[in-house]
CSV table of all heavy atoms in Angstrom, one decimal:
chain,number,residue,atom,x,y,z
Z,30,GLY,N,16.2,-3.8,-63.0
Z,30,GLY,CA,14.8,-3.6,-62.7
Z,30,GLY,C,14.7,-2.9,-61.3
Z,30,GLY,O,15.7,-2.5,-60.7
Z,31,ARG,N,13.5,-2.8,-60.8
Z,31,ARG,CA,13.3,-2.1,-59.6
Z,31,ARG,C,14.0,-2.8,-58.4
Z,31,ARG,O,14.5,-2.1,-57.5
Z,31,ARG,CB,11.8,-1.9,-59.3
Z,31,ARG,CG,11.2,-0.9,-60.2
Z,31,ARG,CD,9.8,-0.4,-59.7
Z,31,ARG,NE,9.9,0.4,-58.5
Z,31,ARG,CZ,10.1,1.7,-58.4
Z,31,ARG,NH1,10.3,2.4,-59.6
Z,31,ARG,NH2,10.2,2.3,-57.3
Z,32,LYS,N,14.0,-4.1,-58.4
Z,32,LYS,CA,14.6,-4.8,-57.3
Z,32,LYS,C,16.1,-4.5,-57.2
Z,32,LYS,O,16.6,-4.2,-56.2
Z,32,LYS,CB,14.4,-6.3,-57.4
Z,32,LYS,CG,14.9,-7.1,-56.2
Z,32,LYS,CD,15.0,-8.6,-56.5
Z,32,LYS,CE,16.2,-8.9,-57.3
Z,32,LYS,NZ,16.5,-10.4,-57.4
Z,33,VAL,N,16.8,-4.7,-58.4
Z,33,VAL,CA,18.2,-4.4,-58.4
Z,33,VAL,C,18.5,-2.9,-58.1
Z,33,VAL,O,19.4,-2.6,-57.4
Z,33,VAL,CB,18.8,-4.8,-59.8
Z,33,VAL,CG1,20.2,-4.3,-60.0
Z,33,VAL,CG2,18.7,-6.3,-60.0
Z,34,ALA,N,17.7,-2.0,-58.7
Z,34,ALA,CA,17.9,-0.6,-58.5
Z,34,ALA,C,17.8,-0.2,-57.0
Z,34,ALA,O,18.6,0.5,-56.4
Z,34,ALA,CB,16.9,0.2,-59.3
Z,35,ASN,N,16.8,-0.7,-56.3
Z,35,ASN,CA,16.6,-0.5,-54.9
Z,35,ASN,C,17.7,-1.0,-54.1
Z,35,ASN,O,18.2,-0.4,-53.1
Z,35,ASN,CB,15.3,-1.0,-54.4
Z,35,ASN,CG,14.1,-0.1,-54.7
Z,35,ASN,OD1,14.0,1.0,-54.0
Z,35,ASN,ND2,13.2,-0.5,-55.6
Z,36,LEU,N,18.2,-2.2,-54.4
Z,36,LEU,CA,19.3,-2.8,-53.6
Z,36,LEU,C,20.6,-2.1,-53.8
Z,36,LEU,O,21.3,-1.9,-52.9
Z,36,LEU,CB,19.4,-4.3,-54.1
Z,36,LEU,CG,20.3,-5.2,-53.2
Z,36,LEU,CD1,19.8,-5.2,-51.7
Z,36,LEU,CD2,20.3,-6.6,-53.7
Z,37,VAL,N,20.9,-1.7,-55.1
Z,37,VAL,CA,22.1,-0.9,-55.3
Z,37,VAL,C,22.0,0.4,-54.6
Z,37,VAL,O,23.0,0.9,-53.9
Z,37,VAL,CB,22.3,-0.7,-56.8
Z,37,VAL,CG1,23.4,0.3,-57.1
Z,37,VAL,CG2,22.6,-2.0,-57.5
Z,38,ARG,N,20.9,1.1,-54.6
Z,38,ARG,CA,20.7,2.4,-53.9
Z,38,ARG,C,21.0,2.2,-52.4
Z,38,ARG,O,21.7,3.0,-51.8
Z,38,ARG,CB,19.3,3.0,-54.2
Z,38,ARG,CG,19.1,4.3,-53.4
Z,38,ARG,CD,17.7,4.9,-53.9
Z,38,ARG,NE,17.3,5.9,-52.9
Z,38,ARG,CZ,17.7,7.2,-53.0
Z,38,ARG,NH1,18.6,7.5,-53.9
Z,38,ARG,NH2,17.3,8.1,-52.1
Z,39,ALA,N,20.4,1.2,-51.9
Z,39,ALA,CA,20.5,0.9,-50.4
Z,39,ALA,C,21.9,0.5,-50.0
Z,39,ALA,O,22.5,1.1,-49.1
Z,39,ALA,CB,19.5,-0.1,-50.0
Z,40,VAL,N,22.5,-0.5,-50.7
Z,40,VAL,CA,23.8,-1.1,-50.3
Z,40,VAL,C,24.9,-0.2,-50.8
Z,40,VAL,O,25.9,0.1,-50.0
Z,40,VAL,CB,23.9,-2.5,-50.9
Z,40,VAL,CG1,25.2,-3.1,-50.5
Z,40,VAL,CG2,22.8,-3.4,-50.3
Z,41,ALA,N,24.9,0.2,-52.0
Z,41,ALA,CA,26.1,0.9,-52.5
Z,41,ALA,C,26.2,2.4,-52.0
Z,41,ALA,O,27.2,2.9,-51.8
Z,41,ALA,CB,26.1,0.9,-54.1
Z,42,PHE,N,25.0,3.0,-51.9
Z,42,PHE,CA,25.0,4.4,-51.5
Z,42,PHE,C,24.4,4.7,-50.2
Z,42,PHE,O,24.3,5.9,-49.8
Z,42,PHE,CB,24.2,5.2,-52.6
Z,42,PHE,CG,24.8,5.1,-54.0
Z,42,PHE,CD1,24.2,4.3,-55.0
Z,42,PHE,CD2,26.0,5.7,-54.3
Z,42,PHE,CE1,24.8,4.1,-56.2
Z,42,PHE,CE2,26.6,5.6,-55.5
Z,42,PHE,CZ,26.0,4.8,-56.5
Z,43,ASP,N,23.9,3.7,-49.5
Z,43,ASP,CA,23.3,3.9,-48.1
Z,43,ASP,C,22.2,4.9,-48.1
Z,43,ASP,O,22.0,5.7,-47.2
Z,43,ASP,CB,24.4,4.3,-47.1
Z,43,ASP,CG,24.0,4.0,-45.7
Z,43,ASP,OD1,23.3,3.0,-45.4
Z,43,ASP,OD2,24.5,4.8,-44.8
Z,44,LYS,N,21.4,4.8,-49.2
Z,44,LYS,CA,20.2,5.7,-49.3
Z,44,LYS,C,18.9,4.8,-49.1
Z,44,LYS,O,18.9,3.7,-49.5
Z,44,LYS,CB,20.2,6.3,-50.8
Z,44,LYS,CG,21.4,7.0,-51.2
Z,44,LYS,CD,21.4,8.4,-50.6
Z,44,LYS,CE,22.6,9.2,-51.2
Z,44,LYS,NZ,22.6,10.6,-50.6
Z,45,PRO,N,17.9,5.4,-48.5
Z,45,PRO,CA,16.7,4.7,-48.2
Z,45,PRO,C,16.1,4.2,-49.5
Z,45,PRO,O,15.9,4.9,-50.5
Z,45,PRO,CB,15.8,5.7,-47.6
Z,45,PRO,CG,16.7,6.8,-47.0
Z,45,PRO,CD,17.9,6.8,-48.0
Z,46,ALA,N,15.8,2.9,-49.5
Z,46,ALA,CA,15.2,2.2,-50.7
Z,46,ALA,C,14.5,0.9,-50.2
Z,46,ALA,O,15.0,0.2,-49.3
Z,46,ALA,CB,16.2,1.9,-51.7
Z,47,VAL,N,13.3,0.6,-50.7
Z,47,VAL,CA,12.6,-0.6,-50.4
Z,47,VAL,C,12.8,-1.6,-51.5
Z,47,VAL,O,12.2,-1.6,-52.5
Z,47,VAL,CB,11.1,-0.3,-50.2
Z,47,VAL,CG1,10.4,-1.6,-49.8
Z,47,VAL,CG2,10.9,0.7,-49.1
Z,48,CYS,N,13.8,-2.5,-51.2
Z,48,CYS,CA,14.1,-3.6,-52.2
Z,48,CYS,C,13.2,-4.8,-51.9
Z,48,CYS,O,13.1,-5.3,-50.8
Z,48,CYS,CB,15.5,-4.0,-52.1
Z,48,CYS,SG,15.9,-5.3,-53.2
Z,49,VAL,N,12.5,-5.2,-52.9
Z,49,VAL,CA,11.5,-6.4,-52.8
Z,49,VAL,C,11.9,-7.5,-53.7
Z,49,VAL,O,11.9,-7.4,-54.9
Z,49,VAL,CB,10.1,-5.9,-53.0
Z,49,VAL,CG1,9.1,-7.2,-53.0
Z,49,VAL,CG2,9.6,-4.9,-52.1
Z,50,ASP,N,12.4,-8.6,-53.1
Z,50,ASP,CA,12.6,-9.8,-53.9
Z,50,ASP,C,11.6,-10.8,-53.5
Z,50,ASP,O,10.6,-10.5,-52.8
Z,50,ASP,CB,14.1,-10.3,-53.7
Z,50,ASP,CG,14.3,-10.9,-52.3
Z,50,ASP,OD1,13.4,-10.7,-51.4
Z,50,ASP,OD2,15.3,-11.6,-52.2
Z,51,VAL,N,11.8,-12.1,-53.9
Z,51,VAL,CA,10.8,-13.1,-53.7
Z,51,VAL,C,10.6,-13.4,-52.2
Z,51,VAL,O,9.5,-13.6,-51.7
Z,51,VAL,CB,11.1,-14.4,-54.4
Z,51,VAL,CG1,10.9,-14.2,-55.9
Z,51,VAL,CG2,12.5,-14.9,-54.0
Z,52,HIS,N,11.7,-13.3,-51.4
Z,52,HIS,CA,11.6,-13.5,-50.0
Z,52,HIS,C,10.8,-12.4,-49.3
Z,52,HIS,O,9.9,-12.7,-48.5
Z,52,HIS,CB,13.0,-13.5,-49.3
Z,52,HIS,CG,13.8,-14.7,-49.8
Z,52,HIS,ND1,13.6,-16.0,-49.5
Z,52,HIS,CD2,14.9,-14.7,-50.6
Z,52,HIS,CE1,14.5,-16.8,-50.0
Z,52,HIS,NE2,15.3,-16.0,-50.7
Z,53,VAL,N,11.1,-11.1,-49.6
Z,53,VAL,CA,10.3,-10.0,-49.0
Z,53,VAL,C,8.9,-10.1,-49.4
Z,53,VAL,O,8.0,-9.9,-48.5
Z,53,VAL,CB,10.9,-8.7,-49.5
Z,53,VAL,CG1,10.1,-7.5,-48.9
Z,53,VAL,CG2,12.4,-8.6,-49.0
Z,54,HIS,N,8.6,-10.3,-50.6
Z,54,HIS,CA,7.2,-10.4,-51.1
Z,54,HIS,C,6.5,-11.6,-50.4
Z,54,HIS,O,5.4,-11.4,-49.8
Z,54,HIS,CB,7.1,-10.7,-52.6
Z,54,HIS,CG,5.8,-10.9,-53.1
Z,54,HIS,ND1,4.8,-9.9,-53.1
Z,54,HIS,CD2,5.2,-11.9,-53.8
Z,54,HIS,CE1,3.7,-10.4,-53.7
Z,54,HIS,NE2,3.9,-11.6,-54.1
Z,55,ARG,N,7.1,-12.7,-50.3
Z,55,ARG,CA,6.5,-13.9,-49.7
Z,55,ARG,C,6.3,-13.7,-48.2
Z,55,ARG,O,5.2,-13.9,-47.7
Z,55,ARG,CB,7.3,-15.1,-49.9
Z,55,ARG,CG,6.8,-16.4,-49.3
Z,55,ARG,CD,7.7,-17.6,-49.4
Z,55,ARG,NE,8.9,-17.5,-48.6
Z,55,ARG,CZ,10.1,-17.3,-49.0
Z,55,ARG,NH1,10.3,-17.1,-50.3
Z,55,ARG,NH2,11.1,-17.3,-48.2
Z,56,ILE,N,7.3,-13.3,-47.5
Z,56,ILE,CA,7.2,-13.2,-46.0
Z,56,ILE,C,6.3,-12.1,-45.5
Z,56,ILE,O,5.5,-12.3,-44.6
Z,56,ILE,CB,8.6,-13.1,-45.4
Z,56,ILE,CG1,9.5,-14.3,-45.7
Z,56,ILE,CG2,8.6,-12.8,-43.9
Z,56,ILE,CD1,11.0,-14.1,-45.4
Z,57,CYS,N,6.3,-11.0,-46.2
Z,57,CYS,CA,5.4,-9.9,-45.7
Z,57,CYS,C,4.0,-10.3,-45.9
Z,57,CYS,O,3.1,-9.9,-45.1
Z,57,CYS,CB,5.8,-8.6,-46.5
Z,57,CYS,SG,7.3,-7.8,-46.0
Z,58,ASN,N,3.7,-11.0,-47.0
Z,58,ASN,CA,2.3,-11.5,-47.2
Z,58,ASN,C,2.0,-12.6,-46.3
Z,58,ASN,O,0.9,-12.7,-45.8
Z,58,ASN,CB,2.1,-11.9,-48.7
Z,58,ASN,CG,1.8,-10.7,-49.6
Z,58,ASN,OD1,0.6,-10.3,-49.7
Z,58,ASN,ND2,2.8,-10.1,-50.2
Z,59,ARG,N,2.9,-13.5,-46.0
Z,59,ARG,CA,2.7,-14.6,-45.1
Z,59,ARG,C,2.5,-14.2,-43.7
Z,59,ARG,O,1.6,-14.7,-43.0
Z,59,ARG,CB,3.9,-15.6,-45.2
Z,59,ARG,CG,3.8,-16.8,-44.4
Z,59,ARG,CD,5.0,-17.7,-44.5
Z,59,ARG,NE,5.0,-18.5,-45.8
Z,59,ARG,CZ,6.0,-19.3,-46.2
Z,59,ARG,NH1,7.1,-19.3,-45.6
Z,59,ARG,NH2,5.8,-19.9,-47.3
Z,60,LEU,N,3.2,-13.1,-43.3
Z,60,LEU,CA,3.0,-12.6,-42.0
Z,60,LEU,C,1.6,-11.9,-41.9
Z,60,LEU,O,1.1,-11.7,-40.8
Z,60,LEU,CB,4.0,-11.5,-41.7
Z,60,LEU,CG,5.4,-12.1,-41.4
Z,60,LEU,CD1,6.5,-10.9,-41.4
Z,60,LEU,CD2,5.5,-12.8,-40.0
Z,61,GLY,N,1.0,-11.5,-43.0
Z,61,GLY,CA,-0.2,-10.7,-43.0
Z,61,GLY,C,0.0,-9.2,-42.8
Z,61,GLY,O,-1.0,-8.5,-42.6
Z,62,LEU,N,1.2,-8.8,-43.0
Z,62,LEU,CA,1.5,-7.4,-42.9
Z,62,LEU,C,0.9,-6.6,-44.0
Z,62,LEU,O,0.4,-5.5,-43.9
Z,62,LEU,CB,3.0,-7.1,-42.8
Z,62,LEU,CG,3.5,-5.7,-42.8
Z,62,LEU,CD1,3.0,-5.0,-41.5
Z,62,LEU,CD2,5.0,-5.6,-42.9
Z,63,ILE,N,0.9,-7.2,-45.2
Z,63,ILE,CA,0.3,-6.7,-46.4
Z,63,ILE,C,-0.4,-7.8,-47.2
Z,63,ILE,O,-0.3,-9.0,-46.9
Z,63,ILE,CB,1.4,-6.0,-47.4
Z,63,ILE,CG1,2.4,-7.1,-47.7
Z,63,ILE,CG2,2.0,-4.8,-46.7
Z,63,ILE,CD1,3.5,-6.6,-48.7
Z,64,ARG,N,-1.2,-7.4,-48.2
Z,64,ARG,CA,-1.9,-8.4,-49.0
Z,64,ARG,C,-1.7,-7.9,-50.5
Z,64,ARG,O,-2.4,-7.0,-51.0
Z,64,ARG,CB,-3.4,-8.4,-48.7
Z,64,ARG,CG,-3.8,-8.9,-47.3
Z,64,ARG,CD,-3.3,-10.4,-47.1
Z,64,ARG,NE,-3.7,-10.9,-45.8
Z,64,ARG,CZ,-3.3,-12.0,-45.2
Z,64,ARG,NH1,-2.4,-12.7,-45.9
Z,64,ARG,NH2,-3.7,-12.3,-44.0
Z,65,THR,N,-0.7,-8.4,-51.1
Z,65,THR,CA,-0.3,-7.9,-52.5
Z,65,THR,C,-0.1,-9.1,-53.4
Z,65,THR,O,0.2,-10.2,-52.9
Z,65,THR,CB,0.9,-7.0,-52.4
Z,65,THR,OG1,2.0,-7.8,-51.8
Z,65,THR,CG2,0.7,-5.7,-51.7
Z,66,LYS,N,-0.2,-8.8,-54.7
Z,66,LYS,CA,-0.1,-9.9,-55.6
Z,66,LYS,C,1.2,-10.0,-56.4
Z,66,LYS,O,1.5,-11.0,-57.0
Z,66,LYS,CB,-1.3,-9.8,-56.6
Z,66,LYS,CG,-2.6,-10.1,-56.0
Z,66,LYS,CD,-3.7,-10.1,-57.1
Z,66,LYS,CE,-5.1,-10.4,-56.5
Z,66,LYS,NZ,-6.2,-10.5,-57.5
Z,67,ASP,N,2.0,-9.0,-56.3
Z,67,ASP,CA,3.3,-9.0,-57.0
Z,67,ASP,C,4.3,-8.1,-56.3
Z,67,ASP,O,3.9,-7.3,-55.5
Z,67,ASP,CB,3.1,-8.5,-58.5
Z,67,ASP,CG,2.5,-7.2,-58.6
Z,67,ASP,OD1,3.2,-6.2,-58.2
Z,67,ASP,OD2,1.4,-7.0,-59.1
Z,68,PRO,N,5.6,-8.3,-56.6
Z,68,PRO,CA,6.6,-7.5,-55.9
Z,68,PRO,C,6.5,-6.0,-56.0
Z,68,PRO,O,6.8,-5.2,-55.1
Z,68,PRO,CB,7.9,-8.0,-56.6
Z,68,PRO,CG,7.6,-9.4,-57.0
Z,68,PRO,CD,6.2,-9.3,-57.5
Z,69,PHE,N,6.0,-5.5,-57.2
Z,69,PHE,CA,5.9,-4.0,-57.3
Z,69,PHE,C,4.8,-3.5,-56.4
Z,69,PHE,O,5.0,-2.5,-55.7
Z,69,PHE,CB,5.5,-3.7,-58.8
Z,69,PHE,CG,5.3,-2.2,-59.0
Z,69,PHE,CD1,6.3,-1.3,-59.0
Z,69,PHE,CD2,4.0,-1.7,-59.0
Z,69,PHE,CE1,6.1,0.1,-59.2
Z,69,PHE,CE2,3.8,-0.3,-59.2
Z,69,PHE,CZ,4.9,0.6,-59.3
Z,70,ALA,N,3.7,-4.2,-56.3
Z,70,ALA,CA,2.7,-3.8,-55.3
Z,70,ALA,C,3.2,-3.9,-53.9
Z,70,ALA,O,2.8,-3.1,-53.0
Z,70,ALA,CB,1.4,-4.7,-55.5
Z,71,THR,N,4.0,-4.9,-53.6
Z,71,THR,CA,4.6,-5.0,-52.3
Z,71,THR,C,5.5,-3.8,-52.0
Z,71,THR,O,5.4,-3.3,-50.9
Z,71,THR,CB,5.4,-6.3,-52.2
Z,71,THR,OG1,4.5,-7.4,-52.3
Z,71,THR,CG2,6.1,-6.4,-50.8
Z,72,GLU,N,6.3,-3.5,-52.9
Z,72,GLU,CA,7.2,-2.3,-52.7
Z,72,GLU,C,6.4,-1.0,-52.4
Z,72,GLU,O,6.7,-0.3,-51.5
Z,72,GLU,CB,8.0,-2.0,-54.0
Z,72,GLU,CG,9.0,-0.8,-53.8
Z,72,GLU,CD,9.6,-0.4,-55.1
Z,72,GLU,OE1,9.8,-1.2,-56.0
Z,72,GLU,OE2,10.0,0.8,-55.2
Z,73,MET,N,5.3,-0.8,-53.2
Z,73,MET,CA,4.5,0.4,-53.0
Z,73,MET,C,3.8,0.3,-51.6
Z,73,MET,O,3.7,1.4,-50.9
Z,73,MET,CB,3.5,0.5,-54.1
Z,73,MET,CG,4.1,0.8,-55.5
Z,73,MET,SD,5.1,2.3,-55.6
Z,73,MET,CE,6.8,1.5,-55.7
């Protein structure tokens, strides 16, 4: 899925990619940096 794809692109190929898992989604919203309801919205 998008999470795996972004992580592979970033880690395996050192290409810019925004990988969003449960930690990224939770912490970015907890910090108040963004207000999103799901990981896809967080990535965007």
Side-chain angles (χ1 to χ4, degrees):
R31 290 195 67 87
K32 184 193 82 169
V33 169
N35 275 291
L36 193 55
V37 170
R38 177 174 166 81
V40 176
F42 299 106
D43 201 31
K44 303 282 188 180
V47 180
C48 178
V49 175
D50 72 346
V51 292
H52 295 290
V53 176
H54 176 63
R55 179 183 72 253
I56 295 171
C57 288
N58 276 276
R59 184 177 278 173
L60 287 168
L62 178 61
I63 55 177
R64 299 294 183 194
T65 55
K66 293 186 177 181
D67 58 65
F69 179 76
T71 295
E72 179 190 336
M73 295 301 108

